[in-house]
Amino acid sequence: MEPNISKLRNIGISAHIDSGKTTLTERILFYTRRIRAMHEVKGADGVGATMDSMELERERGITIASAATHCLWAGHRINIIDTPGHVDFTMEVERALRVLDAAILVLCAVAGVQSQSLTVDRQMRRYGIPRIVFINKCDRVGANPSRVMTHLRERLALNPVMLQLPLGLEEKFVGVVDLIQMKTLKFEGTAGEKIVVGDIAAENMEEALAAREQMLDSLSMFSDALTEAVLEERVDEELIHQTIRKAVLNHQIVPVLMGSAYKNKGIQALLDAVVRYLPGPEEIVQEAIDLDKDESVCTLSAKPDDPAVAFAFKLEDGRFGQLTYLRIYQGRLKRDSTLVNSRNSKEHRVGRLVRMHADRMEDIQEAITGDIVAIFGVDCQSGDTFTDGGRRVSMTAMHVPDPVVSLSIKPCDIKSEENMSKALRRFAKEDPTFRTHVDPETQQTVIQGMGELHLEVYIERMKREYKAQVEVSAPQVAYRETITKTVHYDYVHKKQTGGAGQYGKVCGYIEPMEEGQSEFVDKITGGSIPRQYIPAVEKGFVEMLKKGPLVHAPMERVRVVLEDGNYHPVDSKEVAFLEAAKGAWRQVIHQAGPQILEPIVRVAVDGPPDFSGAILGSLSQRRGMILGQQEEAGQMHIEAEVPLAEMFGYATALRSITEGKAAFSMEFVRYMPAPLNIAQALVEQARQKFDR
Ligand code: GDP
């Protein structure tokens, strides 16, 4: 039977670390009968929750890689992409978000919107992902769903609509009041599997009616039909569901449900909401780049009978070779069919097609548009697009940030050296924000990534999964350089030593740009430099832009303009113009007011108010600029912008000044000029390193 794509949901579950995402996922898999027993995240039974498949994750109890799994609920298939919580893994999150159609945002009923939820929410907004909020941990002391509602409004600027009220709170939490049915739902039995529907007790009625009215008020804003029905007092459940669904899809509201994953309460109602209110794949317009039509943007159809288009969003090194996770955007994938990689036109046969369940898999014959599956042994990169050859398209490029932290590593022995290079090749392929190269100046292997923890995790994986023991240097910030003044150049490269000579003359100017990558502009019109030599001039400048004059960092925001020049009919050749460009650069670059740029991160810290002085102090001490602070419900929330270079080791420092009671997250925001004293120290360091 052909699966119905309107009954498919591709969702992510995202949350601040420790909000209960893993526990919730586990419960979802249990209620949908994907797993038979539940385990705690760091369970005494030593098994660990099903989704954290890597050994490292089990040990640390955090979810790093975005595993995919699926389950069935009320006649719908739900694919769950487990998005990692830590900001340092933004690429993982971004890739997961690229293939999601919707998400559940899990918030803790006590802590509410925490530092990490801010970042995740910003990312979801960027990808236009509709979401449902689940307020978890209603059983905890201090649980307060209405405060979380205020957070959603104030901190995330969302329009939350509460569809339930808690039935009891803290240790008395037993279930929810469903404001649509106007019934109570209790979750009984050993694992909350028995849903007991009851009437709202008289003493709770007033509160429930008021909350329902508020819900209907908020929803009426988006539906004339509902407004009329409310006035005529003939509101039916179906109309409410329809209104919510439409408003969610239009990003007008965020429905809010609640429960306790740990105590097995409220999960089934959340699953109902997922299938009722979140969109299926055909309801989302998917754009791609048409490679046959000048890379213009085209829309995919989401029809199963159109040519196949699938996107590789995650790679894993499995027991049977490379496992590639694909999201199908159009058409269908079949076992034994041939796929073409749009990037390099290479053909691959689909030997095995599987659907993933954490670290287990099920073989399938065919999958259709909208679905998420995995294939084996296909050599490709993450972010590649596959088609069946019928239509040459590429899914729009993913936003890949440049790495901001680097460190050098050295294998401890020969065996480790081999294993290390194997591991590095693998990681770089899996994760575009992880890069590696050999520094030509020091001959050391350098790895680069999005943060300290990002690199730490790869070093751990190198040790555990690849048995590569490595020595690690202190992390370094990836600086950039730019210029502050416009300078003119006029340079002749001349060489006359026996044989044929070299002659090339270049004139023009170098100027600072507001922002962006550096660029070369050719303004030669009269043929003062013949066309065939222009690329050599460009190459010369581009080479110089790779290594700034101060600390050998790549230069950005620099425009090099070539206006004039001269040549010699015999002695001019490409190399002469290449050298002329380099010479011109060296001649003037120090007059252009070169400047070092350092990466700045936005840091959010949550902790008890008693420690706010210490936290503020720790940020100022790190050259941080405090953006704001807010105290609420016994928690202090502080945001600041801090140079990344100062943030190394902050996790440890914060733990020690707050007795481990505070948490922080950070996200790269921009490059800014480094202050003079810092810049001088960096220049001095570079001089010692490079001018030996
Ligand atoms: P994640 O980091 O978001 O994946 O969170 P986990 O699922 O690992 O949960 C973090 C901790 O909170 C674990 O110790 C869980 O047992 C606990 N936890 C999860 N859900 C609840 C809940 O509903 N109530 C309470 N009291 N604790 C919970």
Side-chain angles (χ1 to χ4, degrees):
M1 196 187 66
E2 180 86 16
N4 182 346
I5 105 159
S6 66
K7 299 210 159 165
L8 190 57
R9 299 288 176 268
N10 289 318
I11 62 161
I13 302 182
S14 62
H16 184 89
I17 198 144
D18 258 9
S19 313
K21 184 177 81 174
T22 312
T23 312
L24 175 67
T25 311
E26 191 74 357
R27 290 337 186 229
I28 290 178
L29 296 179
F30 176 77
Y31 293 119
T32 57
R33 294 168 205 267
R34 297 300 306 175
I35 53 170
R36 287 206 184 84
M38 294 189 274
H39 304 284
E40 296 321 319
V41 176
K42 275 183 236 174
D45 55 9
V47 182
T50 311
M51 289 291 279
D52 289 343
S53 55
M54 279 194 261
E55 185 194 351
L56 180 63
E57 292 186 23
R58 273 174 205 250
E59 204 162 281
R60 292 200 177 170
I62 56 171
T63 309
I64 299 165
S66 29
T69 191
H70 81 280
C71 58
L72 297 171
W73 185 256
H76 290 67
R77 185 195 337 277
I78 306 175
N79 288 319
I80 303 173
I81 326 286
D82 185 26
T83 57
H86 199 282
V87 231
D88 273 2
F89 305 99
T90 38
M91 201 56 226
E92 287 271 0
V93 182
E94 304 240 352
R95 259 186 315 201
L97 293 186
R98 181 73 181 77
V99 299
L100 298 180
D101 296 325
I104 302 174
L105 181 61
V106 184
L107 297 174
C108 168
V110 183
V113 173
Q114 291 165 281
S115 46
Q116 180 66 67
S117 338
L118 288 167
T119 318
V120 174
D121 196 72
R122 255 198 296 272
Q123 283 165 327
M124 291 210 186
R125 227 169 262 244
R126 186 151 74 222
Y127 286 90
I129 295 173
R131 53 224 117 139
I132 288 182
V133 165
F134 182 70
I135 304 181
N136 189 34
K137 303 199 182 184
C138 285
D139 62 307
R140 266 188 66 190
V141 176
N144 185 345
S146 52
R147 187 173 62 225
V148 181
M149 292 292 284
T150 312
H151 281 187
L152 286 167
R153 260 180 238 115
E154 291 179 357
R155 291 195 186 159
L156 299 183
L158 293 172
N159 181 15
V161 178
M162 231 185 200
L163 307 185
Q164 300 169 336
L165 281 182
L167 198 58
L169 267 179
E170 305 184 341
E171 78 275 22
K172 296 208 185 84
F173 180 72
V174 287
V176 296
V177 178
D178 179 329
L179 299 173
I180 300 173
Q181 296 181 61
M182 283 305 268
K183 292 278 179 198
T184 58
L185 307 180
K186 289 185 192 165
F187 304 86
E188 296 178 354
T190 45
E193 72 286 352
K194 222 170 90 197
I195 305 174
V196 181
V197 181
D199 289 329
I200 301 172
E203 73 261 28
N204 294 336
M205 202 45 156
E206 196 181 331
E207 191 194 2
L209 283 171
R212 178 178 160 97
E213 198 181 316
Q214 200 176 12
M215 173 187 80
L216 292 175
D217 264 1
S218 310
L219 295 175
S220 304
M221 307 277 286
F222 308 106
S223 160
D224 294 340
L226 185 66
T227 312
E228 266 174 42
V230 170
L231 288 174
E232 293 165 15
E233 293 185 3
R234 50 164 186 83
V235 181
D236 66 70
E237 285 178 23
E238 200 37 48
L239 182 59
I240 303 180
H241 290 319
Q242 279 170 13
T243 308
I244 298 175
R245 174 159 236 277
K246 204 169 122 245
V248 169
L249 264 57
N250 291 333
H251 300 270
Q252 289 158 324
I253 64 158
V254 176
V256 178
L257 293 99
M258 57 199 68
S260 162
Y262 184 67
K263 295 275 173 73
N264 307 316
K265 302 204 188 305
I267 317 300
Q268 297 93 327
L270 175 67
L271 284 165
D272 285 341
V274 165
V275 305
R276 269 193 194 123
Y277 310 135
L278 295 180
E282 84 287 8
E283 288 167 285
I284 307 223
V285 180
Q286 297 290 354
E287 289 183 337
I289 298 169
D290 196 329
L291 300 175
D292 287 329
K293 286 193 189 142
D294 262 354
E295 308 202 355
S296 57
V297 174
C298 61
T299 310
L300 299 178
S301 76
K303 289 199 184 115
D305 295 325
D306 280 347
V309 178
F311 176 70
F313 66 97
K314 184 178 170 63
L315 310 179
E316 249 174 44
D317 217 1
R319 263 161 284 163
F320 312 97
Q322 179 170 307
L323 184 64
T324 307
Y325 288 82
L326 294 174
R327 149 107 198 219
I328 312 172
Y329 282 99
Q330 182 177 291
R332 66 184 73 219
L333 294 191
K334 284 189 194 147
R335 205 186 141 158
D336 291 331
S337 64
T338 301
L339 288 179
V340 185
N341 188 333
S342 294
R343 184 171 50 83
N344 54 18
S345 304
K346 268 199 197 153
E347 293 191 358
H348 301 276
R349 201 180 72 90
V350 181
R352 259 181 97 185
L353 191 63
V354 296
R355 200 164 264 136
M356 297 304 296
H357 170 57
D359 56 357
R360 270 183 288 133
M361 55 190 81
E362 293 153 30
D363 277 275
I364 51 172
Q365 294 300 318
E366 173 176 308
I368 63 161
T369 179
D371 216 343
I372 288 171
V373 291
I375 53 177
F376 281 95
V378 168
D379 185 29
C380 69
Q381 291 174 8
S382 166
D384 281 355
T385 303
F386 288 96
T387 69
D388 55 10
R391 188 170 180 192
R392 283 215 320 138
V393 298
S394 173
M395 297 304 298
T396 23
M398 292 180 298
H399 167 83
V400 181
D402 274 333
V404 288
V405 176
S406 69
L407 49 80
S408 52
I409 51 175
K410 207 165 82 189
C412 296
D413 49 53
I414 303 226
K415 190 76 202 140
S416 291
E417 187 170 350
E418 254 171 51
N419 293 345
M420 180 182 96
S421 43
K422 222 191 278 170
L424 292 179
R425 266 201 306 277
R426 187 73 230 165
F427 299 156
K429 210 168 172 189
E430 280 176 15
D431 177 355
T433 55
F434 175 84
R435 299 187 202 160
T436 167
H437 67 272
V438 174
D439 185 330
E441 265 134 16
T442 60
Q443 296 305 317
Q444 282 178 334
T445 302
V446 178
I447 58 175
Q448 297 175 293
M450 298 316 294
E452 212 180 353
L453 182 60
H454 187 200
L455 296 181
E456 258 174 34
V457 165
Y458 281 119
I459 288 162
E460 285 280 318
R461 283 187 60 191
M462 235 183 266
K463 287 184 188 154
R464 285 157 191 256
E465 292 169 35
Y466 292 84
K467 308 270 175 283
Q469 294 299 328
V470 293
E471 269 173 41
V472 180
S473 74
Q476 302 272 324
V477 159
Y479 293 99
R480 301 272 190 273
E481 291 182 44
T482 191
I483 54 169
T484 52
K485 289 187 216 138
T486 303
V487 281
H488 288 267
Y489 62 87
D490 181 338
Y491 189 84
V492 181
H493 172 76
K494 218 175 352 180
K495 211 165 148 190
Q496 215 97 53
T497 42
Q502 289 183 10
Y503 180 89
K505 177 176 179 182
V506 290
C507 310
Y509 58 95
I510 302 174
E511 64 175 359
M513 290 159 62
E514 280 289 305
E515 56 182 36
Q517 300 295 323
S518 296
E519 60 181 36
F520 171 79
V521 182
D522 164 28
K523 286 196 184 160
I524 300 251
T525 45
S528 51
I529 299 177
R531 292 251 65 88
Q532 75 261 34
Y533 298 132
I534 308 279
V537 177
E538 176 167 6
K539 195 169 159 211
F541 281 121
V542 168
E543 254 176 56
M544 299 312 280
L545 281 163
K546 283 185 191 153
K547 250 201 245 172
L550 301 175
V551 292
H552 294 201
M555 301 203 75
E556 52 180 58
R557 307 178 203 171
V558 177
R559 180 179 294 122
V560 182
V561 181
L562 176 66
E563 291 181 308
D564 202 1
N566 206 349
Y567 71 107
H568 184 277
V570 181
D571 290 345
S572 277
K573 36 184 91 90
E574 281 176 6
V575 58
F577 280 99
L578 183 90
E579 289 304 325
K582 290 185 181 177
W585 176 274
R586 288 190 200 103
Q587 183 188 42
V588 299
I589 191 64
H590 283 282
Q591 294 147 34
Q595 194 176 47
I596 300 175
L597 301 173
E598 61 174 350
I600 305 292
V601 288
R602 193 185 176 105
V603 180
V605 190
D606 289 307
D610 298 356
F611 295 107
S612 52
I615 296 170
L616 289 169
S618 72
L619 293 168
S620 314
Q621 200 185 16
R622 289 176 164 71
R623 296 194 279 131
M625 199 179 69
I626 309 295
L627 301 176
Q629 47 177 311
Q630 207 179 2
E631 188 187 334
E632 214 187 57
Q635 277 286 305
M636 193 72 188
H637 180 83
I638 299 170
E639 288 198 29
E641 283 188 0
V642 190
L644 175 64
E646 305 287 339
M647 290 301 290
F648 292 140
Y650 190 62
T652 317
L654 186 66
R655 211 175 298 132
S656 81
I657 58 170
T658 62
E659 298 163 14
K661 289 182 185 145
F664 81 104
S665 78
M666 61 184 203
E667 186 186 25
F668 168 72
V669 274
R670 72 180 88 83
Y671 273 95
M672 292 250 287
L676 199 61
N677 57 334
I678 303 283
Q680 276 167 348
L682 290 169
V683 171
E684 181 53 28
Q685 263 174 29
R687 206 183 53 75
Q688 287 179 7
K689 183 170 161 198
F690 300 122
D691 299 353
R692 270 161 303 166

